[in-house]
């Protein structure tokens, strides 16, 4: 599998991060949220969406249907 490092621009216009770096930041933040909840299972999607919202600078978190 090839990984392409492409400059990424989020909704706030922040450039300079690659998609790989952005995904890594989201992963780290989602894991922090998981740890904060005492490592309780069952909220992986919510943790990911929250982390994504924080990393990408979104102020509103849309619930998964």
């Amino acid at each position: 599998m090839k990984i392409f490092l492409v400059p990424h621009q989020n909704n706030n216009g922040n450039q300079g991060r690659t998609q790989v770096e952005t995904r890594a930041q989201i992963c780290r933040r989602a894991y922090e949220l998981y740890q904060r909840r005492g490592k309780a299972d069952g909220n992986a999607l919510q943790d990911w969406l929250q982390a994504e919202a924080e990393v990408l600078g979104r102020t509103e978190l849309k619930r998964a249907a």
Side-chain angles (χ1 to χ4, degrees), residues 44-58:
L45 178 59
Q46 188 63 31
D47 290 343
W48 183 269
L49 295 175
Q50 178 66 38
E52 183 179 57
E54 291 176 14
V55 170
L56 298 179
R58 296 183 191 143

Side-chain angles (χ1 to χ4, degrees), residues 8 10-14 17 22-23 25-31 33 44-64:
H8 177 71
N10 67 20
N11 294 338
N12 291 332
N14 294 334
R17 287 188 299 214
T22 300
R23 181 179 168 87
Q25 281 185 304
I26 294 168
C27 271
R28 282 191 298 273
R29 181 61 184 139
Y31 187 70
L33 294 170
L45 178 59
Q46 188 63 31
D47 290 343
W48 183 269
L49 295 175
Q50 178 66 38
E52 183 179 57
E54 291 176 14
V55 170
L56 298 179
R58 296 183 191 143
T59 56
E60 291 184 27
L61 178 63
K62 296 181 181 179
R63 300 257 179 216

